[in-house]
Amino acid sequence: MSESILPIQALLGDVQQEIWDGDLVILRNGYGKAINAAKACRWDGELFCVEVRKYLGVVAVPLEQLACRYPGRVEIYEVNPQSRWENYDRQGPLRHLKSVLFSGKDRRTAFLETLLENLSKLIGRNIVKQVSPCHGAEAIRLADRLGGGVDPVPEKTSERIEIADLEQSPLYRYRFTLK
């Protein structure tokens, strides 16, 4: 969140209907630094926070659980405010993340790939020739670009981005912080 914007504190129960599929969820640490970027998603009427973690792959956590565990540190950003990008598909990024989630690649495979990658670094030879999958802010960007049809940070196409880049993107607008 920008320094000039005052945080709007809200209870999840009061704003639950205002959080839509595809909205950006940012989690901050105790010092106010953004540490996780995710997407809001509804499954069977319950709100989840879907993110891509480095060694675990796609993880879905109930938003209520996150808000209870980290009060005042979970921020919600509206995606595509005022429908600025007419061709943006709000469900597309979630379909993209769900396809990664249900692709059949489980934690054991991710663990073995990580083990081989670290082993290759240790012995100085490249055993694994695959690029590690993106995670965090980069995964959210990829989901919006491939699934939604809009790159949230087009000026950094060839660079890896940080969560702060997503916060400053015109594709997202700060709504409120869950307390």
Side-chain angles (χ1 to χ4, degrees), residues 1 12-13 25 30 46-47 50-51 56 77 86 96-97 99 102 109 116 123 127 130 149 151 153 156 171:
M1 180 172 49
L12 180 59
V25 179
E46 187 173 355
L47 261 173
V50 181
E51 66 178 300
L56 297 176
Y77 288 75
E86 292 178 15
H96 176 78
L97 288 174
S99 73
F102 299 116
T109 307
L116 282 174
I123 62 174
I127 298 171
Q130 93 183 45
D151 188 346
V153 193
K156 293 188 174 185
L171 184 61

Side-chain angles (χ1 to χ4, degrees), residues 4-5 30 35 38 50 55 82 121-122 147:
S4 61
I5 298 174
I35 55 173
V50 181
Y55 299 113
Q82 299 157 346
K121 288 177 185 176
L122 185 66

Side-chain angles (χ1 to χ4, degrees), residues 1-41:
M1 180 172 49
S2 171
E3 301 293 326
S4 61
I5 298 174
L6 291 174
I8 301 167
Q9 300 289 323
L11 293 171
L12 180 59
D14 295 341
V15 295
Q16 193 161 4
Q17 298 305 317
E18 297 177 39
I19 301 173
W20 296 359
D21 282 354
D23 282 351
L24 179 67
V25 179
I26 293 183
L27 177 65
R28 297 190 176 279
N29 65 13
Y31 301 106
K33 183 178 190 272
I35 55 173
N36 280 359
K39 288 280 190 180
C41 179

Side-chain angles (χ1 to χ4, degrees), residues 87-96 141-150:
N87 64 338
Y88 181 77
D89 178 9
R90 179 180 279 278
Q91 296 297 320
L94 296 174
R95 281 193 303 273
H96 176 78
R141 172 199 204 174
L142 191 63
D144 275 324
R145 185 170 60 205
L146 296 179
V150 175

Side-chain angles (χ1 to χ4, degrees), residues 126-140:
N126 194 4
I127 298 171
V128 182
K129 293 199 179 226
Q130 93 183 45
V131 178
S132 62
C134 60
H135 58 279
E138 194 63 39
I140 298 302

Side-chain angles (χ1 to χ4, degrees), residues 9 22 28 32-33 39-40 43 48 57 69 75 89 126 129 146-147 153 158 163 167 172 174 176 179:
Q9 300 289 323
R28 297 190 176 279
K33 183 178 190 272
K39 288 280 190 180
W43 275 316
F48 283 86
R69 189 167 183 189
E75 296 175 351
D89 178 9
N126 194 4
K129 293 199 179 226
L146 296 179
V153 193
S158 59
I163 298 169
E167 289 179 287
Y172 309 109
Y174 173 77
F176 39 78
K179 61 177 178 175

